[in-house]
Amino acid sequence: MERAEKTRHGRRRALAAALVTGFTLLATAVALAAEGDLTFVEAEINGVDGADFLNGANALAVSPDGEQVYIASSVDDAVAVYGRDPGTGELSLLDAAVDGVDGVDGLDNPAGVAISPDGKNAYATALLDSAVVVFGRDPDTGLLTPVGLQPQTGENMLNQPVGIAVSPDGASVYVASQSSDALTECERLPANGDILCPDVQVDGLDGVDGLNGARGVAVAPDGENVYVTGANDNAVATFSRDPGTGALTFIEAEKDGVGGVDSLGTARDVEVSPDGRHVYVAAAGDDALTAFSRDSATGALSLVGALRDGVGGVDGLNGATSVVTSGDGKNIYVAASAGAALASFSRAPGTGAATFEDVAENGVDGVTGLATAFGVATTADGKGVYVAALAGDAVVAFAREPDVTAPDTTIDSGPGSATADPSPVFEFSSDDAGFTARFECAVDGGAFAACTSPETVGPLAIGPHDFAVRAVDTAGNADASPAVSNFEVIDDEVEGTAAAKRTQKQKGKRIRIKVRVEAGEDLDARLSGKLVAGRSTFKLAKTSKSVAAGKTRTVKLGLKKPKQSGAVLKSLKRGKRGKATIKAKLADEAGNRIAETLRVKLR
């Protein structure tokens, strides 16, 4: 193991936007933020200080928990297991799965390695054995045990497989085979992670295109699409994926020289951004990194732009072989085999444009082990970047400055200090909008839960309330000081009605007019009015009653002077008309009032 002093690389930033055969490069003169910076940690070189099984290291993967790094050694016919110090990022050899040893078979010249999302399995492609080897992974130690072998058959077309990827749901494994010009679809068995490969997409068959010399493969985070590079086709092919079965359907192929694309020469690797909005391709023949936007509905790609080595201040893309994005989506890293380099780029979340920031080169600023840098991987915590170096027989560790800055959340609109709406609506935003993974809301001191803007809360009871919202960025940083709105839901309506039958027959010796009061809340009902009988007008007695919420009460009104009832009744008997006009006033406990006018005919 050869270690070098941790030294910040000399940055070579892009000086200005430039043109590549008529297309605007993505490089712009911007300062590199502290987050995303790389610091060389060490190079584990085969045969040095106990490092082993790294001869011809050409691919690697990091376990989901970040505890181990798995390196494919093409010369040693092995997958080396290195433990990772989470604090320093340094590696130490734990074990290796070697072809022909301890039951391992089919691992002649491994070219790709992938770990399942649940961390229970590792998968390795073997170029010369034309097979995929399945391993079980010990969740505590990270060590591998052979589980199964999927060899080349006439049906699965695994002739010289290279790239391999596991779907985010863990249900499918996809393998790109360069000599078969094919993408093999495999079902991952839940019992032990072994695979069955019932179907295959082959270049030139059933309309499939872009798979000649298939190399790299990536599955979109939503599991809806699979992307494959065809090195001989100078292309990246798009497939839609059935989430239920894992079956693929060819959509399109973006090819060099077609539709404005001119930077996919010998396309080697492909990566989908964590937010699923963009796709990046490393092309060794064009020494280029190409960015595409991804249609969220179909998965189809549209060119954003390209960066080329040596153009517009860009460096480190000579023989661009492997590409990866950081877990927070803020950076892109490209391993360049001819340049023996690792190039760093920042990523614009809206457009997906890449901006050159820095390069780590073999033999510069203490960096060692990068000869023929061939594969690159990042850790989920954003703190480590690792490179497999084919000619360097090494795995090189870099510490990445993680994003530790929490976003700031703002409530853009809401009910103000008071509202009569029991279900108010809030709109909110983050100052890190492009890299905000989600928002979380809480009402009245409750637990925070995922929410989206605009967010409707309630229905809430009458009285004071508070609404809090915090943004969480793609690195997992949550706003420690959530935005808070303190407000009061006020009662400005009376929930109740007063009604009376239009015609009421009078019985007995006194006038009685019935009014029905229905209360949705506790109410005080006050009734008054007048009665016209013949040519005379009589006042009705003022009456007040309380009506409980949810109740209906009949209130009877009589004449203010009950002795006048006889005269009114005689008038009615003589066929004179009697008409009552009643004023019903309803008031709730909040002081809200409504008044209704009721008209009743007496007979």
Side-chain angles (χ1 to χ4, degrees), residues 410-430:
T410 301
I411 295 176
D412 301 313
S413 66
S417 60
T419 178
D421 185 355
S423 299
V425 178
F426 293 87
E427 293 183 339
F428 38 86
S429 60
S430 161

Side-chain angles (χ1 to χ4, degrees), residues 148-296:
L149 174 67
Q150 182 63 237
Q152 156 71 4
T153 68
E155 292 80 23
N156 62 28
M157 302 290 286
L158 289 172
N159 190 6
Q160 293 194 331
V162 182
I164 185 167
V166 186
S167 60
D169 59 10
S172 307
V173 177
Y174 299 96
V175 186
S177 300
Q178 63 179 15
S179 292
S180 295
D181 303 330
L183 173 64
T184 302
E185 307 170 16
C186 302
E187 175 189 359
R188 180 169 177 254
L189 303 181
N192 60 3
D194 202 359
I195 58 175
L196 297 175
C197 304
D199 205 356
V200 63
Q201 303 288 329
V202 183
D203 191 59
L205 297 181
D206 299 323
V208 176
D209 195 9
L211 294 184
N212 192 349
R215 295 280 307 192
V217 57
V219 186
D222 59 11
E224 297 287 340
N225 295 100
V226 177
Y227 298 90
V228 186
T229 54
N232 298 337
D233 258 339
N234 305 316
V236 56
T238 301
F239 296 86
S240 65
R241 174 179 180 266
D242 186 319
T245 65
L248 302 180
T249 302
F250 176 73
I251 299 295
E252 65 165 4
E254 293 287 337
K255 284 191 169 185
D256 204 50
V258 179
V261 178
D262 73 337
S263 51
L264 294 181
T266 318
R268 297 292 294 270
D269 195 22
V270 60
E271 171 82 348
V272 186
S273 60
D275 59 12
R277 298 179 63 184
H278 304 102
V279 173
Y280 299 91
V281 179
D286 277 332
D287 303 330
L289 170 66
T290 303
F292 295 92
S293 63
R294 173 177 175 256
D295 187 299
S296 60

Side-chain angles (χ1 to χ4, degrees), residues 5 18 26 36 94 130 140 194 228 244 310 315 317 407 600:
E5 181 181 357
L26 306 177
L94 298 179
S130 293
D140 296 321
D194 202 359
V228 186
D315 196 6
L317 289 180
V600 178

Side-chain angles (χ1 to χ4, degrees), residues 78-158:
V79 174
V81 184
Y82 277 75
R84 173 178 176 264
D85 186 314
T88 66
E90 295 178 349
L91 302 178
S92 56
L93 178 64
L94 298 179
D95 199 2
V98 184
D99 193 41
V101 179
D102 294 332
V104 177
D105 192 18
L107 202 55
D108 191 354
N109 198 338
V113 61
I115 310 298
S116 61
D118 59 13
K120 294 181 178 181
N121 295 99
Y123 300 87
T125 57
L127 194 69
L128 298 185
D129 265 333
S130 293
V132 178
V133 184
V134 181
F135 297 96
R137 175 180 175 269
D138 188 303
D140 296 321
T141 66
L143 300 185
L144 304 180
T145 303
V147 168
L149 174 67
Q150 182 63 237
Q152 156 71 4
T153 68
E155 292 80 23
N156 62 28
M157 302 290 286
L158 289 172

Side-chain angles (χ1 to χ4, degrees), residues 11-16 26-33 346 354-357:
R11 299 185 187 119
R12 303 172 184 175
R13 300 188 179 92
L15 302 178
L26 306 177
T28 55
V30 295
L32 177 66
S346 60
T355 299
F356 174 68
E357 299 291 355

